[in-house]
Amino acid sequence: MRSWPGSSAKGGLRGTLYLLGLTYQGFGALFLGFAFLALALGEDVRGFALAALLGLGLGRAFQALGHPEAQPRRAEVFASVALLWLAVPLLGAVPYWVSGGLGYLDALFEAVSGFTTTGATVLSDFGSFGRSLFLWRSFTQWMGGIGIVLLFLVVFPQLQVAGRQAFFAEATGVEKEKLTPRLRHTAQAVLRVYLLLTASAFLAYLGTGVPAFEAWANALATTPAGGFSPNPQSFAAYPPLAQWMGTFFMFWAGVNFLLQYRLLFGREARPLLGDAEFRAYAALVLAASGLLAFYLYTHHLYGLEESLRHGFFQVVSILTTTGFASVDFAGWVVPAQAILVLLMFVGGSAGSGAGGVKVVRWLLLFGFLRREITRTLHPQAVLPLRLGQRVIPEEALRQVSVFVFLYTLLFTAGTLLLALLEGDFVVAFTASAQAIGNIGPGLGEVGPMGSYAGLHPLSKAVLILLMWAGRIEILPVALLLSPELWRRLR
Amino acid sequence: MRSWPGSSAKGGLRGTLYLLGLTYQGFGALFLGFAFLALALGEDVRGFALAALLGLGLGRAFQALGHPEAQPRRAEVFASVALLWLAVPLLGAVPYWVSGGLGYLDALFEAVSGFTTTGATVLSDFGSFGRSLFLWRSFTQWMGGIGIVLLFLVVFPQLQVAGRQAFFAEATGVEKEKLTPRLRHTAQAVLRVYLLLTASAFLAYLGTGVPAFEAWANALATTPAGGFSPNPQSFAAYPPLAQWMGTFFMFWAGVNFLLQYRLLFGREARPLLGDAEFRAYAALVLAASGLLAFYLYTHHLYGLEESLRHGFFQVVSILTTTGFASVDFAGWVVPAQAILVLLMFVGGSAGSGAGGVKVVRWLLLFGFLRREITRTLHPQAVLPLRLGQRVIPEEALRQVSVFVFLYTLLFTAGTLLLALLEGDFVVAFTASAQAIGNIGPGLGEVGPMGSYAGLHPLSKAVLILLMWAGRIEILPVALLLSPELWRRLR
Ligand SMILES: [K+]
Ligand SMILES: [K+]
């Protein structure tokens, strides 16, 4: 228990504070840019101006109070990640609050929903937001998405967190030994794919009839699997071909960016096509879309193309946790909705911006269960678990179990609290599921054409916590509740 | 992989067949008794007579085709358990089918619901059953309950199934080393408690105003946490004091029978009062009942005593997976219902007739999660997990994880299928949860005063499978799906 290296006095919290100071100043500068944009568009500039002032001022103060940490330890990194992912939206909510006509809790909900790439909105009157606010809203998702991907592909793998490093290395094809020297390369690769996908989506949307501003905002919200749209009808407002384009780019937003890099920039298709997670993901998309299209074709008045289009669009949108809508699926028959609700618990691929449990974890979990059932017949046998050609370490399996349990418990607690507060089981269940999976729409009142505006303030607080915990994969949040961590950080 | 001892030719399946033959003949004799009872009561005797004929005839044939097995192996025991728990209801359904006015699928549903101590009913017209059928219905629960307790306290512990033996020994206070010589003693202890509780419940119900026949049928359904009542209003038909008695005896039906034995016959209170599972169970009853009573008092027109009475009754009824109702809680406000729905996933204590996940598994799971979170800060530390004063083996923790995952997956699959078939999320969710937890009532159409009669035949089949798998704790059913098992049994 005493193996932990002693921390410098107040090192942990001061390191976090220093980092937060730098981050706030960066956002302060960014808000200055947005303030000029608002000015140029003739929109209310006060929100961005205040956010810029707060970011620069508080950031400077935090930097002065804090202290740079050359070698942050595991506990400090986790605490920093958890606190940053809450502190940034606290600042990022200011423009919505001052210029968007939202109360601060609603503004915070919208900001957390953005930075966590959830895309759940409290907007019911889309006219209260100017273009600068909509752009900021989409941009929070774009930054949140790249932030999460870099966090899980570059930052966390360095920590060797009890199998987590190994797991992500296995799952993403990054070799454990070579990881550190390749950090910069990995970050650059991810960023190149991210930029390429964003630019391509913009052009594709523009070319298929989406107005330029909306094409840009939607592209920024597609690549991170975000789902915010400046149009209250989401993709239902666009032509069929634009919807097919949305399906295509959402699909890629849910695929491991490093494997995409090797395909796009290394011209190696085999790492992607041979990847167990990608194959399961693609198979699931085909199977679920087919089943959903069948229900739509037989139960609604859609033609064949329209059934296929909405089937593929909504399956990919929910599976990748993007949350765009090509139609108001809250009005579908229950069996069609049930397929989407089930997919809410699957998620996209590791190493992408998608949230949720993620396909690779389900593969490992099913492999684990299958092995343990076999073990009942062979109690003494050594039964290594493989994924593709890799043997998965037991520690990684334990981490997957812990994650899925924590995810389920948090989701259940959220459902219970929302049921107590809202008095509607379907709203409680789907709002909780979408929040922890960073998806966006639920069913009923909080469906894709609905809004979270009407929920009880405490329900919004619960959803904020779920979005936050789900996005950083719960463990850093669970650690924040551990007295042990605070002793270490003191 | 080849460490398994070679099985005699067709030994496994023939051993199972032999056992089934004996069991069917035993039930044949029992049905003869019920036929005479029906005759004495002037009720339709044909159902019991046919069941007796089938039981004796088929039983004799199975015995002849099978072969006794002196030393059954693990795979054979599991296969036998899974097949017996389905084969017995197949025969037990005959009286409902012939004399109760039910189709065979409905009759099978009622029989499976009985033998698994679930208590979900397809009866909507309680007038179609005579007293002999109601007595048979309660008696299936009584036999199912003692069967399950003996299975998990006496039969399975002998198998040393990958930590399962250790787990149950730990959880039940039975010492591993001394188990085998004490088998007969353990079985007798359980049976004595079971008989004492049943008789006491009968006298208590009778003394508080329940008509004699109903007191007897309800007592038979209380001790196994069964929940079948011959009265369509369940305990809502009885005086307040009888409802409090129901709460009291349901509470004890959810407590480890071996610990009760030491209290009642050994005059040792400490093993029970110091037991981690019992303490958690009692604390949960108090906390949840208080919360529920608060909601009832503030949201419905109940007085204080009535709020407490229904609060305690329903919490204990659902937590112990009994399923009796003191009131139609399907008409309550959603928050009050939400508390009950959450309790559906908790369950009673190991070593009792209660179904569900069980309190001790949740204690182990939360301990495991807590330890793994701490491990993130101390990756190298050895962190043994204790429950009370016992160190829990890692293998037991893995078994708990596997069980909870399989439980959740089966429940989710059931919910999805029912949602597809019924088109109602609340019915799908609660029907699936009550079935795998062997509880009985759900919400909506399948609430405590409702019936499963109106569900789609396929939904009934799904629920039959869930009741069956849940009652024998899934693993034997999962093994039946394993090709490995069938190779072994060939
Ligand atoms: K999203
Ligand atoms: K029951």
Side-chain angles (χ1 to χ4, degrees):
Chain A
M1 295 289 280
R2 296 287 135 203
S3 62
W4 185 269
S7 182
S8 57
K10 301 198 186 286
L13 285 180
R14 289 185 66 191
T16 303
L17 207 58
Y18 186 84
L19 192 62
L20 179 60
L22 294 185
T23 310
Y24 262 31
Q25 289 177 71
F27 274 98
L30 186 63
F31 281 125
L32 271 187
F34 270 90
F36 282 113
L37 177 74
L39 202 65
L41 292 168
E43 293 172 355
D44 184 6
V45 80
R46 292 172 304 163
F48 289 117
L50 178 61
L53 268 176
L54 282 172
L56 293 173
L58 286 175
R60 195 89 195 110
F62 291 160
Q63 189 184 1
L65 289 170
H67 194 276
E69 194 87 25
Q71 282 276 320
R73 272 156 294 228
R74 185 181 291 113
E76 293 155 15
V77 173
F78 273 126
S80 298
V81 163
L83 293 173
L84 275 180
W85 238 270
L86 208 52
V88 167
L90 280 169
L91 178 64
V94 170
Y96 303 137
W97 176 46
V98 176
S99 302
L102 297 180
Y104 186 75
L105 179 67
D106 279 6
L108 181 63
F109 184 98
E110 201 77 5
V112 169
S113 177
F115 281 104
T116 59
T117 78
T118 304
T121 186
V122 291
L123 275 190
S124 36
D125 172 19
F126 276 56
S128 63
F129 268 28
R131 291 194 157 195
S132 56
L133 278 184
F134 277 122
L135 196 64
W136 167 243
R137 188 166 164 265
S138 295
F139 202 61
T140 58
Q141 299 211 309
W142 197 83
M143 289 183 293
I146 189 69
I148 279 297
V149 174
L150 291 177
L151 190 65
F152 282 98
L153 286 181
V154 178
V155 178
F156 280 171
Q158 291 184 269
L159 299 178
Q160 299 225 23
V161 186
R164 192 164 260 265
Q165 194 265 4
F167 165 60
F168 276 96
E170 308 279 352
T172 56
V174 181
E175 294 302 319
K176 189 174 174 178
E177 300 75 23
K178 303 182 197 153
L179 200 68
T180 314
R182 285 174 56 188
L183 280 186
R184 181 186 297 261
H185 173 72
T186 304
Q188 282 174 349
V190 166
L191 203 58
R192 285 172 76 177
V193 173
Y194 204 73
L195 289 167
L196 181 67
L197 282 181
T198 309
S200 311
F202 167 65
L203 293 173
Y205 296 160
L206 195 66
T208 49
V210 180
F213 174 73
E214 295 185 21
W216 185 232
N218 283 325
L220 285 176
T222 302
T223 315
F228 268 151
S229 172
N231 194 310
Q233 295 300 306
S234 190
F235 270 64
Y238 306 137
L241 206 54
Q243 296 179 358
W244 280 113
M245 286 297 148
T247 304
F248 180 82
F249 284 102
M250 287 192 293
F251 178 86
W252 289 106
V255 173
N256 186 324
F257 286 129
L258 285 180
L259 297 180
Q260 290 192 63
Y261 177 78
R262 293 172 76 173
L263 175 73
L264 294 168
F265 295 93
R267 309 215 167 270
E268 293 177 275
R270 204 173 301 167
L272 179 69
L273 298 180
D275 181 56
E277 183 177 31
F278 178 73
R279 295 163 76 108
Y281 168 75
L284 193 57
V285 164
L286 283 175
S289 302
L291 185 63
L292 181 55
F294 168 78
Y295 263 100
L296 295 180
Y297 189 67
T298 53
H299 287 76
H300 288 273
L301 296 175
Y302 301 144
L304 185 61
E305 186 273 341
E306 200 173 358
S307 298
L308 285 171
R309 174 155 43 89
H310 294 321
F312 270 90
F313 190 99
Q314 289 310 148
V315 161
V316 170
S317 175
I318 297 297
L319 190 62
T320 61
T321 75
T322 306
F324 282 138
S326 62
V327 63
D328 186 2
F329 57 76
W332 283 354
V333 290
V334 167
Q337 292 180 339
I339 295 166
L340 296 183
V341 170
L342 189 68
L343 292 179
M344 284 189 172
F345 295 93
V346 180
S349 310
S352 78
V357 173
K358 300 197 177 62
V359 174
V360 67
R361 285 209 181 86
W362 286 116
L363 289 179
L364 291 176
L365 189 62
F366 281 111
F368 170 65
L369 290 178
R370 198 175 166 169
R371 182 187 70 175
E372 295 304 314
I373 290 167
T374 305
R375 190 195 294 279
T376 312
L377 297 176
H378 307 277
Q380 314 300 336
V382 176
L383 304 165
L385 184 68
R386 288 168 197 279
L387 187 69
Q389 272 135 36
R390 296 190 193 87
V391 173
I392 304 298
E394 293 300 308
E395 188 55 45
L397 293 180
R398 193 153 59 179
Q399 284 298 323
V400 169
S401 295
V402 168
F403 175 80
V404 175
F405 280 130
L406 290 176
Y407 194 95
T408 310
L409 290 174
L410 256 187
F411 156 71
T412 306
T415 301
L416 178 70
L417 289 171
L418 285 163
L420 297 181
L421 290 160
E422 302 298 330
D424 183 320
F425 276 118
V426 172
V427 165
F429 189 91
T430 57
S432 182
Q434 71 74 21
I436 195 170
N438 301 121
I439 297 166
L443 293 175
E445 174 190 353
V446 298
M449 306 305 166
S451 148
Y452 291 82
L455 298 193
H456 192 284
L458 284 176
S459 297
K460 290 174 187 167
V462 167
L463 293 176
I464 285 172
L465 291 176
L466 287 179
M467 291 190 276
W468 170 58
R471 183 69 282 191
I472 54 182
E473 301 208 335
I474 306 172
L475 199 59
V477 174
L479 273 174
L480 277 192
L481 300 176
S482 145
E484 182 83 13
L485 177 81
W486 293 99
R487 268 202 303 280
R488 296 288 163 197
L489 285 178
R490 249 203 323 263
Chain B
M1 297 288 280
R2 296 286 135 204
S3 63
W4 185 270
S7 183
S8 56
K10 302 201 185 281
L13 285 180
R14 289 185 66 190
T16 303
L17 207 58
Y18 187 84
L19 192 61
L20 180 60
L22 294 185
T23 311
Y24 262 32
Q25 289 177 72
F27 275 99
L30 187 61
F31 281 126
L32 270 187
F34 269 90
F36 283 113
L37 178 73
L39 202 64
L41 292 168
E43 293 171 358
D44 184 6
V45 78
R46 292 172 303 162
F48 289 117
L50 178 60
L53 269 177
L54 282 172
L56 294 172
L58 286 175
R60 194 88 195 115
F62 291 160
Q63 189 185 358
L65 289 170
H67 194 275
E69 194 89 22
Q71 282 275 319
R73 272 157 295 228
R74 186 180 291 112
E76 294 153 14
V77 174
F78 273 128
S80 299
V81 163
L83 293 174
L84 275 180
W85 237 270
L86 210 51
V88 167
L90 280 170
L91 177 65
V94 170
Y96 302 138
W97 176 47
V98 176
S99 303
L102 298 180
Y104 186 75
L105 178 67
D106 279 5
L108 182 63
F109 184 98
E110 201 77 6
V112 169
S113 176
F115 280 105
T116 59
T117 77
T118 304
T121 186
V122 290
L123 275 190
S124 36
D125 173 18
F126 275 56
S128 63
F129 268 29
R131 291 195 157 193
S132 56
L133 278 183
F134 277 123
L135 195 64
W136 167 244
R137 188 165 164 263
S138 295
F139 203 60
T140 58
Q141 299 210 309
W142 197 83
M143 289 183 293
I146 189 68
I148 279 297
V149 174
L150 291 177
L151 190 65
F152 283 98
L153 286 181
V154 178
V155 179
F156 279 171
Q158 291 183 270
L159 299 178
Q160 298 225 27
V161 187
R164 193 165 260 265
Q165 196 266 1
F167 165 60
F168 274 98
E170 308 279 352
T172 56
V174 181
E175 295 300 321
K176 189 173 171 179
E177 301 76 22
K178 303 182 196 152
L179 201 68
T180 315
R182 283 174 60 187
L183 280 185
R184 180 187 295 263
H185 174 71
T186 305
Q188 281 174 348
V190 167
L191 202 58
R192 285 172 75 177
V193 173
Y194 203 73
L195 289 167
L196 181 65
L197 282 181
T198 309
S200 311
F202 167 64
L203 294 174
Y205 296 160
L206 194 66
T208 51
V210 180
F213 174 73
E214 295 185 20
W216 184 234
N218 283 324
L220 286 177
T222 302
T223 315
F228 268 152
S229 172
N231 194 311
Q233 294 299 307
S234 190
F235 269 65
Y238 307 137
L241 206 55
Q243 296 179 358
W244 280 114
M245 285 297 146
T247 304
F248 180 81
F249 284 101
M250 287 192 293
F251 178 85
W252 288 106
V255 174
N256 185 324
F257 286 130
L258 284 181
L259 297 180
Q260 289 192 65
Y261 177 78
R262 293 171 74 174
L263 175 73
L264 294 169
F265 295 93
R267 310 217 165 266
E268 293 176 275
R270 204 174 300 166
L272 178 70
L273 298 180
D275 182 55
E277 183 177 32
F278 178 72
R279 294 162 76 107
Y281 167 74
L284 192 58
V285 165
L286 283 174
S289 302
L291 185 63
L292 180 55
F294 168 78
Y295 263 100
L296 295 179
Y297 190 66
T298 53
H299 286 77
H300 288 272
L301 296 175
Y302 301 145
L304 184 61
E305 186 273 341
E306 200 173 359
S307 298
L308 285 170
R309 177 156 41 90
H310 294 320
F312 271 88
F313 190 100
Q314 289 311 150
V315 161
V316 170
S317 175
I318 297 297
L319 190 63
T320 60
T321 75
T322 306
F324 281 138
S326 62
V327 62
D328 186 3
F329 57 76
W332 283 354
V333 291
V334 167
Q337 293 181 338
I339 295 166
L340 295 184
V341 170
L342 188 69
L343 292 178
M344 285 188 171
F345 294 93
V346 179
S349 310
S352 78
V357 173
K358 300 197 178 60
V359 174
V360 68
R361 285 210 181 85
W362 286 114
L363 289 179
L364 292 175
L365 189 62
F366 280 110
F368 171 66
L369 290 177
R370 197 174 166 171
R371 183 188 69 177
E372 295 305 313
I373 290 167
T374 305
R375 190 194 296 278
T376 313
L377 297 176
H378 306 278
Q380 314 301 336
V382 176
L383 304 165
L385 184 69
R386 286 167 199 279
L387 186 71
Q389 273 136 37
R390 298 191 191 88
V391 173
I392 305 296
E394 293 301 307
E395 186 56 43
L397 293 179
R398 192 154 61 179
Q399 284 297 324
V400 168
S401 296
V402 168
F403 176 79
V404 175
F405 280 130
L406 290 176
Y407 194 94
T408 310
L409 290 174
L410 255 188
F411 156 71
T412 307
T415 301
L416 178 71
L417 290 172
L418 284 162
L420 298 180
L421 290 160
E422 301 298 329
D424 183 319
F425 276 119
V426 172
V427 165
F429 188 92
T430 58
S432 181
Q434 71 74 20
I436 195 172
N438 301 120
I439 297 166
L443 293 175
E445 175 191 353
V446 298
M449 307 302 165
S451 148
Y452 291 81
L455 298 192
H456 192 284
L458 285 176
S459 297
K460 290 174 187 166
V462 168
L463 293 176
I464 285 173
L465 291 176
L466 288 178
M467 291 190 277
W468 171 59
R471 183 69 281 190
I472 52 181
E473 302 207 336
I474 306 173
L475 198 61
V477 174
L479 274 174
L480 277 192
L481 301 176
S482 146
E484 181 82 16
L485 178 79
W486 293 100
R487 268 202 304 280
R488 295 290 164 194
L489 285 179
R490 250 201 324 260

